[in-house]
Amino acid sequence: MFAFRFALKNVLSRKSSLVIILFIAFSISLLVVSNAIFDGTDSGMEKTFINSFTGNIVIRPKSDVPMSLFGDETPLTGKLTAIPELVPYQEVYDCVSATEGIDVILPQITGFSSIQYRTVEGRLDHDEFYFFGVEGEQYVNNMPGIRFIEGKAFSKGEKGIMLSKAALKAMEEESECPIDVKVGDNLTVYFTDGVSMTIRSVPLTGIYEYEVENATLDQIVIIDPVTLRAIHEIQDVVSDEEIDPDNINLINSGIDDLDALFADASDTEGTESLEQDFGTPVADIASDSDSKVWTFLICKTSENVSINKIIRSLNAEFKKNDWPVQAVKWRSAAGGSVAMVFYLRVILNIGILLILFTGFIVIANTLIISSLSRVCETGTLRAIGAGRSFVALQFLFETAILTVAAGIAGCVIGIALNALIHSLNIHIGNSLLVQLFGGSYIRTVLTASNLLSCMGLSCLLAIIGWLYPLRIALGTNPVVAMRGQA
C-alpha cells in the first residue's frame, strides 16, 4: 500500500499528469463515439434488411460461386447463371422447422427477368429486375419493413405481382417518361436466354414501399412462385411418375376430329406488344403448396436467441446428413452492395484506428518520458534500500492511475457525446449514409462491450507505459541514477 500512496502522491504533485490524463481521455472518448457510430450503422442495416427481405437466417444451396438471395454474385456473368435448388427440400425444411428458436420459414425462388410496360405516350418499354417468388401474404406479413401504398398482397395459390414505389420510379427513369401502370393492370413478364423467350401476363395486385430507401431493395420485384417457375421453365413440379406416356392416346381420347383440337385457334398478326398470355404450362398444374422447387428458405428467429448458435447447429446437421445446403446470416445473403457498404465501414474504421494509434504512440511516449525523467529519484530510492519489486510497483501504480483515470474520463465524455448526438437528431441526405444508418438520422448504439474495450485499451497503455521505463530504471546503476545519468 505504501507503494500505491507514494505513486499517487507523485501523480498529484506533477503538473504534467493532468495533461496526460486529458490527452488520453480525449482519445478514448473519440474511440467510444466512433465505435458507437459504427455499431449504429450495423444495427441500422441489420434492421433494414432483416425486416425487408433477408430475415435473420437464410438457408441456401452450397455453391462454388458467391451466392446471395439475388443469385450468383459473380461480376458481369452472375445474372445469367442458374440458381441451384434446395435439395432435398422437404428433409431440409423439416430439419429447419424443428430447430428451436426459428419461428417463421418463408420459402423463396429467385429469378432474373424483365417487365414490359406502357408509357403514358403509348410507347412500350421494359426493365430488368430480380424476381422473388414467394407466397405473397405470408411473406409480407412477416416483413414489417414492407408497407403498402395501394392494393394488397396476392394470396397463396393466386397469380400476382407486387412492385415497389422505387421500382416504378426506376422504370420511369429507364423510359424517360411517366408510365401508365396501376393496380389491377396486367403486366407482361418475360425471360429470354438468348435462344428462346418465355412470356407471362400477371396482374399487379399491389404497390408498396420499404421503410428505408435502399438501392438494393429497389432491384426487387415480388411475384407468385408458380408464375416465376413457368417463366424460367422449371417443370419438375409434376413428377414423372404422375404421367404415364403409355396411357396417353390422342386417337381414342373421345375426340372425333383432330381439327377440333384447334377449333378455338385463329390466325393473328405479330405486334410490338408482348401482352398476350401464352397459356399455362404443365409446371403450373401443381399448386404452390405441392411444389418442392425452391432456392432459399428465409428464416425469422425469436428475440434474444443466439443466431450464431442456431447457424452452427443447422450446418452441423446438414453436414451430418450430407445435404448440399448451408445456413448463413443475413449479411451473407443480402448481396454484393451490402458487402460494399460493410467494406466501406471497415475502411473507415481502419482509418480512425490509424489516427488513434498515432495518438496512442504519442501518449505512450509521454508516459515513458515522464517515467524516465525520474531516473534520479528511482536511483535515490534504490540507494536507501528500496527493492526492485517496490520500484516496479511504484511505476505500475503511477501509469495505472494515469491511464485508468483517463479511461474512465474518456468513457464518461464518450457517453455524454453519444447522448448529445441523439438529442441533436442529425439529419442525413446522402443515400449511402442512409443505407449505413438504416434511416435518415444518425443513430449511435453504445454497448457495454464498446466501453469495456476502450477501458481495456487504457490498461494496455498502462502496460506499455510501465514496461519500458521500468526496464531502464532497474537496469541503471543506483549511483549513476543518483547523478541523473541514465
Side-chain angles (χ1 to χ4, degrees):
M1 290 300 295
F2 177 73
F4 176 78
R5 291 197 299 271
F6 189 76
L8 180 61
K9 181 179 179 181
N10 280 340
V11 171
L12 295 176
S13 64
R14 289 198 305 271
K15 296 179 179 179
S16 61
S17 298
L18 181 60
V19 176
I20 293 172
I21 290 175
L22 290 176
F23 191 41
I24 297 176
F26 173 76
S27 299
I28 294 296
S29 65
L30 180 60
L31 187 61
V32 169
V33 173
S34 62
N35 281 339
I37 290 175
F38 285 130
D39 287 340
T41 62
D42 195 60
S43 175
M45 287 180 60
E46 181 176 3
K47 178 183 176 182
T48 297
F49 287 99
I50 286 176
N51 289 339
S52 298
F53 77 105
T54 65
N56 304 95
I57 299 173
V58 173
I59 312 301
R60 67 184 184 187
K62 282 187 176 180
S63 176
D64 296 330
V65 298
M67 185 70 65
S68 73
L69 284 174
F70 296 94
D72 186 355
E73 291 289 328
T74 305
L76 300 179
T77 61
K79 296 177 181 178
L80 304 178
T81 305
I83 303 175
E85 299 169 10
L86 281 177
V87 179
Y89 171 76
Q90 192 59 54
E91 288 83 347
V92 172
Y93 184 94
D94 292 341
C95 174
V96 175
S97 62
T99 302
E100 185 177 355
I102 294 181
D103 295 337
V104 178
I105 303 175
L106 305 172
Q108 175 179 312
I109 183 169
T110 298
F112 188 76
S113 305
S114 300
I115 296 177
Q116 188 190 58
Y117 51 89
R118 190 178 298 277
T119 68
V120 294
E121 298 175 348
R123 175 168 51 88
L124 289 173
D125 211 334
H126 71 278
D127 206 350
E128 297 176 322
F129 294 95
Y130 290 96
F131 283 68
F132 285 5
V134 295
E135 297 175 0
E137 286 184 340
Q138 182 195 24
Y139 185 83
V140 171
N141 290 339
N142 288 284
M143 294 295 176
I146 297 177
R147 301 181 297 203
F148 273 92
I149 302 173
E150 300 178 43
K152 62 177 183 178
F154 49 82
S155 58
K156 184 175 181 179
E158 177 187 4
K159 280 191 175 184
I161 187 171
M162 296 180 285
L163 296 177
S164 67
K165 182 179 177 181
L168 290 170
K169 182 179 178 182
M171 291 159 66
E172 287 190 341
E173 291 176 352
E174 177 70 20
S175 62
E176 299 181 349
C177 178
I179 61 175
D180 185 19
V181 174
K182 57 184 180 298
V183 172
D185 289 349
N186 282 335
L187 297 181
T188 301
V189 181
Y190 66 94
F191 172 75
T192 177
D193 59 5
V195 178
S196 61
M197 177 184 292
T198 311
I199 308 168
R200 287 294 178 273
S201 179
V202 192
L204 177 62
T205 65
I207 298 174
Y208 63 91
E209 64 180 357
Y210 289 101
E211 190 176 25
V212 176
E213 293 185 4
N214 190 287
T216 300
L217 304 176
D218 296 349
Q219 306 174 68
I220 299 173
V221 167
I222 301 174
I223 193 171
D224 70 276
V226 176
T227 298
L228 188 59
R229 293 189 192 101
I231 292 171
H232 287 269
E233 299 183 326
I234 302 174
Q235 299 192 8
D236 56 345
V237 180
V238 178
S239 66
D240 295 337
E241 297 177 357
E242 297 178 29
I243 301 176
D244 185 358
D246 295 332
N247 292 330
I248 298 177
N249 189 339
L250 292 178
I251 302 300
N252 299 317
S253 60
I255 301 176
D256 297 330
D257 186 357
L258 288 178
D259 291 337
L261 288 171
F262 307 99
D264 295 331
S266 61
D267 295 333
T268 59
E269 294 183 2
T271 65
E272 183 183 11
S273 173
L274 295 176
E275 294 178 352
Q276 180 182 359
D277 189 338
F278 281 69
T280 303
V282 175
D284 287 4
I285 295 174
S287 68
D288 178 38
S289 59
D290 295 331
S291 175
K292 301 297 184 292
V293 181
W294 301 95
T295 50
F296 302 102
L297 292 178
I298 314 301
C299 305
K300 302 294 288 288
T301 63
S302 309
E303 294 183 3
N304 302 322
V305 298
S306 173
I307 304 296
N308 292 330
K309 182 178 179 180
I310 293 175
I311 290 176
R312 287 195 298 269
S313 174
L314 286 172
N315 283 329
E317 191 67 24
F318 297 157
K319 183 177 181 181
K320 175 183 176 182
N321 291 282
D322 198 25
W323 294 335
V325 296
Q326 62 182 162
V328 296
K329 292 183 72 172
W330 68 273
R331 192 183 299 278
S332 299
S337 59
V338 177
M340 290 176 61
V341 174
F342 173 75
Y343 292 135
L344 175 62
R345 173 192 170 179
V346 171
I347 292 171
L348 291 174
N349 213 347
I350 291 174
I352 290 180
L353 287 176
L354 288 176
I355 295 172
L356 293 176
F357 180 70
T358 303
F360 290 146
I361 290 177
V362 176
I363 293 169
N365 285 337
T366 303
L367 291 172
I368 291 171
I369 292 171
S370 174
S371 300
L372 291 178
S373 65
R374 294 180 294 106
V375 170
C376 181
E377 175 190 323
T378 304
T380 303
L381 287 173
R382 294 190 62 194
I384 62 176
R388 297 171 67 89
S389 59
F390 179 87
V391 174
L393 285 174
Q394 179 198 348
F395 272 74
L396 176 61
F397 285 143
E398 287 187 22
T399 54
I401 290 170
L402 288 172
T403 53
V404 171
I408 294 173
C411 288
V412 172
I413 295 172
I415 293 171
L417 291 175
N418 180 70
L420 178 63
I421 293 173
H422 270 284
S423 64
L424 291 176
N425 283 326
I426 302 173
H427 184 270
I428 49 180
N430 183 277
S431 59
L432 183 58
L433 292 178
V434 170
Q435 294 182 50
L436 276 171
F437 286 95
S440 301
Y441 294 90
I442 293 180
R443 291 288 180 262
T444 58
V445 176
L446 192 60
T447 62
S449 61
N450 180 0
L451 297 176
L452 289 175
S453 64
C454 291
M455 285 301 301
L457 188 56
S458 296
C459 295
L460 178 62
L461 282 175
I463 295 173
I464 294 173
W466 169 62
L467 288 176
Y468 183 70
L470 178 64
R471 179 184 176 186
I472 298 297
L474 296 180
T476 304
N477 186 283
V479 177
V480 175
M482 290 177 63
R483 296 174 181 170
Q485 302 173 2

